[in-house]
Amino acid sequence: MVRGPGQVLGLDGLRGLAALYVVLFHCWLLTFPGFPGNSGPAWLGWMMYGRLAVVFFLVLSGFSLAISPARNGWQLGGAARFLRRRAWRILPPYWAALVLSVLVAHFVVAASHYGPPNSGTILVYGLVLQDVITAPTPNGAFWSIGVEAELYLFFPLLLLVRRRLGAVVLVTGVALLAVVRGLAAAHADPAEGVNWLTPNLAPVFVAGLAGAGVVVAPERIRRLPWHRGALLAAVPPLSLILAEGPAWTVNHYYWVDLAVVPAMTMLIAAVATGEPAPLMRFLATRPVRSLGGFSYSLYLIHLPIVMTVVRKIAPHYVSPGLPTFWLTLALALPTSVLAAWIFSEIFEKPFQRNRSWQSMLSAIRRN
Protein backbone atom coordinates (compact mmCIF):
# COMPACT_ATOMS: atom_id res chain seq x y z
CA MET A 1 0.00 0.00 0.00
CA VAL A 2 2.74 2.44 -0.96
CA ARG A 3 1.73 5.84 -2.29
CA GLY A 4 5.12 7.37 -3.04
CA PRO A 5 8.63 7.78 -1.67
CA GLY A 6 8.38 7.57 2.08
CA GLN A 7 4.58 7.45 2.02
CA VAL A 8 2.20 4.64 2.86
CA LEU A 9 -1.56 4.76 2.39
CA GLY A 10 -3.54 4.93 5.61
CA LEU A 11 -0.91 6.47 7.87
CA ASP A 12 -2.22 10.01 7.41
CA GLY A 13 -5.68 8.79 8.36
CA LEU A 14 -4.35 7.20 11.53
CA ARG A 15 -2.57 10.44 12.36
CA GLY A 16 -5.75 12.44 11.82
CA LEU A 17 -7.85 10.17 14.02
CA ALA A 18 -5.25 10.37 16.80
CA ALA A 19 -5.25 14.17 16.62
CA LEU A 20 -9.06 14.20 16.75
CA TYR A 21 -8.94 12.03 19.86
CA VAL A 22 -6.58 14.51 21.53
CA VAL A 23 -9.13 17.27 20.87
CA LEU A 24 -11.86 15.13 22.46
CA PHE A 25 -9.57 14.42 25.40
CA HIS A 26 -9.05 18.12 26.07
CA CYS A 27 -12.78 18.80 25.72
CA TRP A 28 -13.33 16.18 28.40
CA LEU A 29 -10.38 17.23 30.57
CA LEU A 30 -11.32 20.90 30.78
CA THR A 31 -14.98 20.16 31.40
CA PHE A 32 -14.72 17.66 34.23
CA PRO A 33 -12.33 18.50 37.12
CA GLY A 34 -10.42 16.02 39.24
CA PHE A 35 -8.10 14.38 36.69
CA PRO A 36 -6.78 11.67 36.89
CA GLY A 37 -10.03 10.70 38.51
CA ASN A 38 -13.13 10.61 36.33
CA SER A 39 -15.69 13.07 37.68
CA GLY A 40 -17.72 12.85 34.48
CA PRO A 41 -20.09 10.13 33.33
CA ALA A 42 -18.54 6.69 33.23
CA TRP A 43 -19.53 6.29 29.58
CA LEU A 44 -17.24 9.20 28.69
CA GLY A 45 -14.28 7.64 30.48
CA TRP A 46 -12.78 6.41 27.20
CA MET A 47 -11.89 10.02 26.38
CA MET A 48 -9.48 10.55 29.26
CA TYR A 49 -6.38 8.77 27.96
CA GLY A 50 -4.86 11.55 25.87
CA ARG A 51 -1.33 10.45 26.77
CA LEU A 52 -1.85 7.21 24.87
CA ALA A 53 -2.76 9.16 21.74
CA VAL A 54 0.57 10.98 22.01
CA VAL A 55 2.31 7.62 22.45
CA PHE A 56 0.62 6.51 19.24
CA PHE A 57 1.84 9.68 17.51
CA LEU A 58 5.40 8.83 18.55
CA VAL A 59 5.18 5.23 17.33
CA LEU A 60 3.72 6.49 14.06
CA SER A 61 6.40 9.16 13.79
CA GLY A 62 9.21 6.64 14.21
CA PHE A 63 7.54 4.37 11.65
CA SER A 64 6.95 7.12 9.08
CA LEU A 65 10.44 8.61 9.35
CA ALA A 66 12.04 5.19 8.93
CA ILE A 67 10.18 4.18 5.77
CA SER A 68 12.57 5.87 3.34
CA PRO A 69 15.73 4.72 5.16
CA ALA A 70 14.31 1.18 5.30
CA ARG A 71 14.02 1.18 1.50
CA ASN A 72 17.57 2.45 1.26
CA GLY A 73 19.32 -0.17 3.37
CA TRP A 74 18.60 1.80 6.54
CA GLN A 75 20.75 4.65 5.25
CA LEU A 76 19.58 8.14 6.20
CA GLY A 77 21.30 10.09 3.46
CA GLY A 78 23.01 12.51 5.83
CA ALA A 79 22.15 13.56 9.37
CA ALA A 80 22.45 17.28 8.63
CA ARG A 81 20.10 16.98 5.65
CA PHE A 82 17.59 15.01 7.73
CA LEU A 83 17.60 17.50 10.60
CA ARG A 84 17.36 20.46 8.25
CA ARG A 85 14.33 18.95 6.52
CA ARG A 86 12.69 18.09 9.84
CA ALA A 87 13.19 21.65 11.07
CA TRP A 88 11.75 23.04 7.83
CA ARG A 89 8.71 20.78 8.17
CA ILE A 90 8.04 21.11 11.90
CA LEU A 91 9.20 24.53 13.10
CA PRO A 92 7.32 27.09 10.97
CA PRO A 93 3.81 25.95 11.98
CA TYR A 94 5.03 25.33 15.52
CA TRP A 95 6.41 28.86 15.85
CA ALA A 96 3.23 30.31 14.37
CA ALA A 97 1.18 28.29 16.87
CA LEU A 98 3.49 29.49 19.66
CA VAL A 99 2.79 33.13 18.78
CA LEU A 100 -0.94 32.43 18.56
CA SER A 101 -0.94 30.58 21.89
CA VAL A 102 0.96 33.36 23.69
CA LEU A 103 -1.49 35.96 22.37
CA VAL A 104 -4.49 33.89 23.46
CA ALA A 105 -2.93 33.24 26.88
CA HIS A 106 -2.28 36.97 27.40
CA PHE A 107 -5.47 38.47 26.05
CA VAL A 108 -8.20 35.80 26.07
CA VAL A 109 -7.76 32.90 28.51
CA ALA A 110 -4.81 31.99 30.73
CA ALA A 111 -2.92 28.81 29.98
CA SER A 112 -3.05 26.23 32.74
CA HIS A 113 0.59 25.57 33.66
CA TYR A 114 2.85 27.62 35.95
CA GLY A 115 1.26 31.01 35.43
CA PRO A 116 1.07 33.32 32.41
CA PRO A 117 3.67 33.13 29.64
CA ASN A 118 6.72 35.36 30.06
CA SER A 119 10.02 36.04 28.34
CA GLY A 120 11.26 32.64 29.51
CA THR A 121 8.32 31.06 27.71
CA ILE A 122 9.33 32.61 24.40
CA LEU A 123 12.96 31.57 24.81
CA VAL A 124 12.38 28.01 26.04
CA TYR A 125 9.49 27.15 23.76
CA GLY A 126 10.93 29.05 20.82
CA LEU A 127 14.07 26.91 21.02
CA VAL A 128 11.93 23.78 21.62
CA LEU A 129 13.64 23.15 24.95
CA GLN A 130 10.48 22.55 26.99
CA ASP A 131 11.39 18.94 27.73
CA VAL A 132 14.65 20.10 29.30
CA ILE A 133 13.81 23.47 30.91
CA THR A 134 10.60 24.28 32.77
CA ALA A 135 8.88 27.51 31.78
CA PRO A 136 5.29 28.75 31.87
CA THR A 137 3.58 27.11 28.94
CA PRO A 138 1.28 28.96 26.57
CA ASN A 139 -0.18 25.68 25.31
CA GLY A 140 -0.30 22.43 27.25
CA ALA A 141 -0.07 20.36 24.08
CA PHE A 142 3.42 21.63 23.29
CA TRP A 143 5.20 19.26 25.69
CA SER A 144 5.31 16.48 23.10
CA ILE A 145 6.89 18.73 20.47
CA GLY A 146 9.96 19.01 22.70
CA VAL A 147 10.09 15.23 23.05
CA GLU A 148 9.83 14.75 19.27
CA ALA A 149 12.58 17.31 18.65
CA GLU A 150 14.97 15.43 20.95
CA LEU A 151 14.11 12.11 19.34
CA TYR A 152 14.90 13.58 15.92
CA LEU A 153 18.40 14.39 17.18
CA PHE A 154 18.90 10.74 18.12
CA PHE A 155 17.27 9.35 14.97
CA PRO A 156 20.54 9.09 12.94
CA LEU A 157 22.18 7.14 15.79
CA LEU A 158 19.16 4.85 16.14
CA LEU A 159 19.28 4.11 12.42
CA LEU A 160 22.97 3.33 12.67
CA VAL A 161 22.28 0.77 15.40
CA ARG A 162 19.44 -0.69 13.33
CA ARG A 163 21.70 -0.99 10.28
CA ARG A 164 24.73 -2.42 12.08
CA LEU A 165 23.16 -4.59 14.77
CA GLY A 166 19.59 -5.23 13.67
CA ALA A 167 16.08 -4.46 14.90
CA VAL A 168 16.11 -6.95 17.78
CA VAL A 169 19.22 -5.43 19.35
CA LEU A 170 17.90 -1.89 18.86
CA VAL A 171 14.47 -2.48 20.36
CA THR A 172 15.71 -4.74 23.15
CA GLY A 173 18.53 -2.40 24.11
CA VAL A 174 16.38 0.73 24.32
CA ALA A 175 13.54 -1.10 26.06
CA LEU A 176 15.92 -2.63 28.61
CA LEU A 177 17.31 0.79 29.46
CA ALA A 178 13.76 2.00 30.12
CA VAL A 179 12.87 -1.07 32.18
CA VAL A 180 16.03 -0.83 34.31
CA ARG A 181 15.42 2.88 34.84
CA GLY A 182 11.85 2.17 35.88
CA LEU A 183 12.74 -0.65 38.26
CA ALA A 184 15.43 1.50 39.87
CA ALA A 185 12.87 4.15 40.85
CA ALA A 186 11.27 4.16 44.29
CA HIS A 187 8.72 1.34 44.47
CA ALA A 188 9.53 0.67 40.78
CA ASP A 189 7.19 3.55 40.00
CA PRO A 190 8.97 6.42 38.21
CA ALA A 191 7.43 9.79 38.94
CA GLU A 192 6.88 11.91 35.84
CA GLY A 193 6.92 15.68 35.78
CA VAL A 194 6.22 18.08 32.94
CA ASN A 195 9.58 17.53 31.26
CA TRP A 196 12.51 15.09 30.94
CA LEU A 197 10.08 12.68 29.31
CA THR A 198 12.19 11.76 26.27
CA PRO A 199 14.01 8.85 28.03
CA ASN A 200 10.62 7.48 29.08
CA LEU A 201 9.18 7.67 25.58
CA ALA A 202 12.21 6.73 23.50
CA PRO A 203 11.20 3.02 23.41
CA VAL A 204 7.87 3.81 21.76
CA PHE A 205 9.56 5.85 19.02
CA VAL A 206 12.12 3.08 18.50
CA ALA A 207 9.35 0.49 18.23
CA GLY A 208 7.86 2.46 15.35
CA LEU A 209 11.27 2.82 13.71
CA ALA A 210 11.86 -0.92 13.86
CA GLY A 211 8.32 -1.65 12.71
CA ALA A 212 8.97 0.22 9.46
CA GLY A 213 10.98 -2.79 8.37
CA VAL A 214 7.67 -4.38 7.37
CA VAL A 215 7.58 -2.21 4.23
CA VAL A 216 10.69 -3.98 2.87
CA ALA A 217 10.13 -7.37 4.49
CA PRO A 218 9.68 -10.57 2.44
CA GLU A 219 6.15 -11.26 1.32
CA ARG A 220 5.68 -14.03 3.90
CA ILE A 221 6.31 -11.46 6.66
CA ARG A 222 4.10 -8.84 5.07
CA ARG A 223 1.26 -11.35 4.80
CA LEU A 224 1.25 -12.11 8.51
CA PRO A 225 -2.06 -11.14 10.19
CA TRP A 226 -0.68 -8.04 11.86
CA HIS A 227 -4.15 -6.69 12.65
CA ARG A 228 -5.04 -9.83 14.57
CA GLY A 229 -1.74 -9.63 16.41
CA ALA A 230 -2.56 -6.03 17.31
CA LEU A 231 -5.91 -7.09 18.78
CA LEU A 232 -4.32 -9.86 20.83
CA ALA A 233 -1.53 -7.59 22.05
CA ALA A 234 -4.07 -4.96 23.09
CA VAL A 235 -6.01 -7.30 25.36
CA PRO A 236 -3.60 -7.38 28.36
CA PRO A 237 -3.02 -3.60 28.69
CA LEU A 238 -6.68 -2.77 28.03
CA SER A 239 -7.77 -5.36 30.59
CA LEU A 240 -5.37 -3.85 33.12
CA ILE A 241 -6.64 -0.33 32.42
CA LEU A 242 -10.25 -1.46 32.87
CA ALA A 243 -9.44 -3.40 36.03
CA GLU A 244 -7.32 -0.75 37.76
CA GLY A 245 -9.18 2.35 36.62
CA PRO A 246 -8.12 5.72 35.23
CA ALA A 247 -6.28 7.13 38.26
CA TRP A 248 -4.02 4.08 38.50
CA THR A 249 -3.45 4.12 34.74
CA VAL A 250 -2.46 7.79 34.62
CA ASN A 251 -0.15 7.38 37.60
CA HIS A 252 1.54 4.40 35.92
CA TYR A 253 1.84 5.72 32.39
CA TYR A 254 5.56 4.92 32.44
CA TRP A 255 4.73 1.21 32.32
CA VAL A 256 1.42 1.47 30.48
CA ASP A 257 3.17 3.22 27.59
CA LEU A 258 5.51 0.26 27.18
CA ALA A 259 2.63 -2.20 27.46
CA VAL A 260 0.53 -0.67 24.67
CA VAL A 261 3.37 -0.21 22.17
CA PRO A 262 3.34 -3.76 20.69
CA ALA A 263 -0.34 -3.40 19.78
CA MET A 264 0.17 0.06 18.32
CA THR A 265 3.17 -1.01 16.27
CA MET A 266 1.36 -4.04 14.86
CA LEU A 267 -1.68 -1.90 14.01
CA ILE A 268 0.52 0.46 12.00
CA ALA A 269 2.25 -2.51 10.36
CA ALA A 270 -1.17 -3.90 9.44
CA VAL A 271 -2.19 -0.64 7.78
CA ALA A 272 1.17 -0.44 6.00
CA THR A 273 0.49 -3.87 4.49
CA GLY A 274 -3.11 -3.02 3.58
CA GLU A 275 -5.03 -4.84 6.31
CA PRO A 276 -7.72 -5.07 7.48
CA ALA A 277 -9.71 -4.10 4.40
CA PRO A 278 -12.60 -2.37 6.24
CA LEU A 279 -10.17 -0.15 8.14
CA MET A 280 -8.26 0.64 4.96
CA ARG A 281 -11.46 1.69 3.22
CA PHE A 282 -12.31 3.96 6.13
CA LEU A 283 -8.84 5.49 6.24
CA ALA A 284 -9.04 6.09 2.49
CA THR A 285 -12.22 8.16 2.74
CA ARG A 286 -11.79 11.78 1.80
CA PRO A 287 -12.70 13.28 5.22
CA VAL A 288 -10.24 11.05 7.08
CA ARG A 289 -7.45 11.62 4.57
CA SER A 290 -8.10 15.36 4.66
CA LEU A 291 -8.05 15.37 8.46
CA GLY A 292 -4.72 13.57 8.40
CA GLY A 293 -3.33 16.19 6.05
CA PHE A 294 -3.65 18.94 8.66
CA SER A 295 -3.47 16.83 11.83
CA TYR A 296 -0.25 18.53 12.96
CA SER A 297 -1.92 21.93 12.79
CA LEU A 298 -4.94 20.55 14.62
CA TYR A 299 -2.72 19.27 17.40
CA LEU A 300 -0.88 22.60 17.64
CA ILE A 301 -3.79 25.04 17.88
CA HIS A 302 -6.83 23.21 19.24
CA LEU A 303 -6.17 23.65 22.96
CA PRO A 304 -6.46 27.47 23.12
CA ILE A 305 -9.76 27.15 21.24
CA VAL A 306 -11.10 24.50 23.61
CA MET A 307 -10.00 26.53 26.65
CA THR A 308 -11.70 29.64 25.30
CA VAL A 309 -14.99 27.83 24.87
CA VAL A 310 -14.88 26.10 28.26
CA ARG A 311 -13.69 29.07 30.34
CA LYS A 312 -14.95 32.14 28.51
CA ILE A 313 -18.09 31.14 26.61
CA ALA A 314 -19.72 28.15 28.32
CA PRO A 315 -20.07 29.74 31.81
CA HIS A 316 -22.37 32.43 30.34
CA TYR A 317 -24.78 29.99 28.75
CA VAL A 318 -24.77 26.56 30.40
CA SER A 319 -24.16 24.94 33.76
CA PRO A 320 -20.98 22.96 34.55
CA GLY A 321 -20.68 19.29 33.74
CA LEU A 322 -22.42 17.65 30.82
CA PRO A 323 -24.07 20.84 29.48
CA THR A 324 -20.63 22.47 29.26
CA PHE A 325 -19.22 19.35 27.65
CA TRP A 326 -21.91 19.26 24.95
CA LEU A 327 -21.51 22.97 24.22
CA THR A 328 -17.74 22.53 24.02
CA LEU A 329 -18.11 19.68 21.54
CA ALA A 330 -20.60 21.67 19.48
CA LEU A 331 -18.41 24.79 19.33
CA ALA A 332 -14.79 23.87 19.95
CA LEU A 333 -14.59 20.69 17.86
CA PRO A 334 -15.73 22.11 14.49
CA THR A 335 -13.98 25.43 15.18
CA SER A 336 -10.71 23.63 15.91
CA VAL A 337 -10.97 21.56 12.74
CA LEU A 338 -11.80 24.55 10.54
CA ALA A 339 -9.18 26.78 12.15
CA ALA A 340 -6.57 24.03 11.82
CA TRP A 341 -7.32 23.63 8.12
CA ILE A 342 -6.91 27.37 7.54
CA PHE A 343 -3.80 27.47 9.73
CA SER A 344 -2.33 24.55 7.80
CA GLU A 345 -2.94 26.22 4.46
CA ILE A 346 -1.01 29.29 5.63
CA PHE A 347 1.73 27.95 7.90
CA GLU A 348 2.14 24.26 7.11
CA LYS A 349 1.33 23.33 3.51
CA PRO A 350 3.62 25.93 1.88
CA PHE A 351 6.57 24.39 3.73
CA GLN A 352 5.55 20.93 2.56
CA ARG A 353 5.27 22.00 -1.08
CA ASN A 354 8.51 24.00 -1.08
CA ARG A 355 11.78 22.73 0.41
CA SER A 356 13.65 26.07 0.57
CA TRP A 357 13.09 29.81 0.88
CA GLN A 358 14.10 30.21 -2.73
CA SER A 359 11.43 27.74 -3.80
CA MET A 360 8.91 29.45 -1.53
CA LEU A 361 9.63 32.89 -2.98
CA SER A 362 9.43 31.53 -6.52
CA ALA A 363 6.03 30.00 -5.76
CA ILE A 364 4.81 33.31 -4.32
CA ARG A 365 5.96 35.18 -7.43
CA ARG A 366 4.19 32.70 -9.71
CA ASN A 367 0.95 33.24 -7.83
Side-chain angles (χ1 to χ4, degrees), residues 222-304:
R222 292 175 55 79
R223 287 187 177 277
L224 290 174
W226 294 106
H227 57 294
R228 294 192 180 95
L231 286 174
L232 289 174
V235 170
L238 290 180
S239 299
L240 187 63
I241 289 170
L242 290 173
E244 297 293 344
W248 181 92
T249 300
V250 172
N251 290 325
H252 293 82
Y253 266 146
Y254 187 94
W255 298 111
V256 173
D257 292 345
L258 297 178
V260 299
V261 162
M264 291 180 176
T265 306
M266 283 190 277
L267 171 62
I268 297 169
V271 169
T273 55
E275 293 290 344
L279 176 60
M280 295 303 299
R281 287 193 293 270
F282 176 66
L283 294 175
T285 59
R286 185 172 180 179
V288 176
R289 286 189 292 109
S290 177
L291 181 66
F294 59 88
S295 58
Y296 181 47
S297 290
L298 180 60
Y299 184 83
L300 288 174
I301 71 167
H302 77 276
L303 188 51

Side-chain angles (χ1 to χ4, degrees), residues 149-173:
E150 292 174 55
L151 290 170
Y152 294 158
L153 294 176
F154 286 101
F155 187 68
L157 175 62
L158 296 172
L159 276 183
L160 176 64
V161 175
R162 170 61 184 86
R163 185 170 69 251
R164 295 285 180 82
L165 301 177
V168 173
V169 171
L170 173 64
V171 173
T172 303

Side-chain angles (χ1 to χ4, degrees), residues 65 69 72 74-83 155-157 159 163:
L65 290 175
N72 193 35
W74 297 99
Q75 298 280 348
L76 185 57
R81 176 176 176 269
F82 166 77
L83 294 174
F155 187 68
L157 175 62
L159 276 183
R163 185 170 69 251

Side-chain angles (χ1 to χ4, degrees), residues 13-27 46-47 53 57 282 287-288 291-292 294-295 298-299 302 329 332-334 336-337:
L14 290 176
R15 194 175 288 109
L17 294 175
L20 192 64
Y21 178 85
V22 173
V23 179
L24 293 175
F25 163 68
H26 282 128
C27 290
W46 62 272
M47 291 186 182
F57 274 130
F282 176 66
V288 176
L291 181 66
F294 59 88
S295 58
L298 180 60
Y299 184 83
H302 77 276
L329 278 187
L333 184 59
S336 295
V337 171

Side-chain angles (χ1 to χ4, degrees), residues 21 24-40 44-52 112-113 143 192-193 245-253 311:
Y21 178 85
L24 293 175
F25 163 68
H26 282 128
C27 290
W28 176 91
L29 179 70
L30 293 169
T31 300
F32 301 107
F35 185 82
N38 182 8
S39 63
L44 286 178
W46 62 272
M47 291 186 182
M48 65 177 298
Y49 301 104
R51 164 69 171 259
L52 297 184
S112 57
H113 294 73
W143 69 269
E192 290 191 335
W248 181 92
T249 300
V250 172
N251 290 325
H252 293 82
Y253 266 146
R311 296 183 177 174

